[in-house]
Amino acid sequence: MFGLTPYERNDLWNPFREFEKDFFKDFSSVNRCRTDIRDEDGKYILECEMPGFNKEDIKIDVNGSVLTLCAEHKSENDEKNKNGEYIRRERSYGSYCRSFDISNIDESAIEAEYTNGVLKVTLPKKAEQQSETKRIEIK
């Protein structure tokens, strides 16, 4: 005879155990925008994985010393039978948004390209300014 266990489910007899485990898992790691940043001669190269997006879905904004990458897309697949009833209807939505500090970047020379699901942003560094000694006249 089986005893009752409050607030728990006995998964031993649950035929859908594996389905539930896969379906209700934490999706937060899936929706991250994986980004690599390399420091090359006088510039940073930012490569951001954005598979499934079109170039038109991606927006790059600079506000002050913050660069923000955002991408969003929606798709719907509707199939109806001859009576106009759904036999299949699938919808998907995806979005990414990341921000980066670009305080030492020459904002006017930033370039971006999108190829095979990877956004590549070239961020030229600002030229280092040599501090000059300046004599102040005393009045």
Side-chain angles (χ1 to χ4, degrees):
M1 183 168 236
F2 294 103
L4 296 175
T5 306
Y7 309 109
E8 285 184 359
R9 184 175 18 181
N10 186 350
D11 283 337
L12 182 62
W13 303 107
N14 182 358
F16 299 104
R17 175 179 57 241
E18 292 302 315
F19 171 78
E20 289 174 350
K21 199 164 44 173
D22 290 339
F23 187 78
F24 294 108
K25 67 183 176 185
D26 178 21
F27 289 102
S28 62
S29 63
V30 174
N31 293 327
R32 290 195 184 130
C33 183
R34 301 208 191 317
T35 305
D36 296 330
I37 302 172
R38 293 189 320 264
D39 186 355
E40 292 187 359
D41 300 321
K43 63 187 171 199
Y44 293 106
I45 305 294
L46 184 143
E47 291 178 323
C48 186
E49 294 177 4
M50 295 184 160
F53 289 96
N54 294 322
K55 184 171 82 170
E56 296 77 26
D57 298 333
I58 302 170
K59 304 217 178 343
I60 303 173
D61 296 317
V62 175
N63 184 2
S65 63
V66 177
L67 175 98
T68 304
L69 307 175
C70 289
E72 178 179 23
H73 72 96
K74 300 175 187 177
S75 68
E76 293 186 10
N77 296 321
D78 292 341
E79 291 181 16
K80 298 180 181 183
N81 63 12
K82 61 184 176 184
N83 296 330
E85 299 166 337
Y86 290 109
I87 57 170
R88 179 178 79 117
R89 183 174 187 177
E90 295 180 356
R91 293 166 297 285
S92 67
Y93 172 82
S95 70
Y96 291 131
C97 201
R98 293 279 307 265
S99 294
F100 301 91
D101 176 33
I102 58 167
S103 53
N104 65 341
I105 300 298
D106 180 4
E107 297 172 17
S108 64
I110 295 174
E111 296 179 355
E113 62 182 76
Y114 183 68
T115 308
N116 297 327
V118 177
L119 176 67
K120 180 180 176 182
V121 181
T122 304
L123 304 161
K125 296 177 184 178
K126 285 182 181 175
E128 290 185 26
Q129 296 180 359
Q130 299 294 328
S131 60
E132 298 178 8
T133 302
K134 183 176 178 183
R135 182 149 300 176
I136 306 296
E137 182 182 330
I138 302 172
K139 295 182 185 182

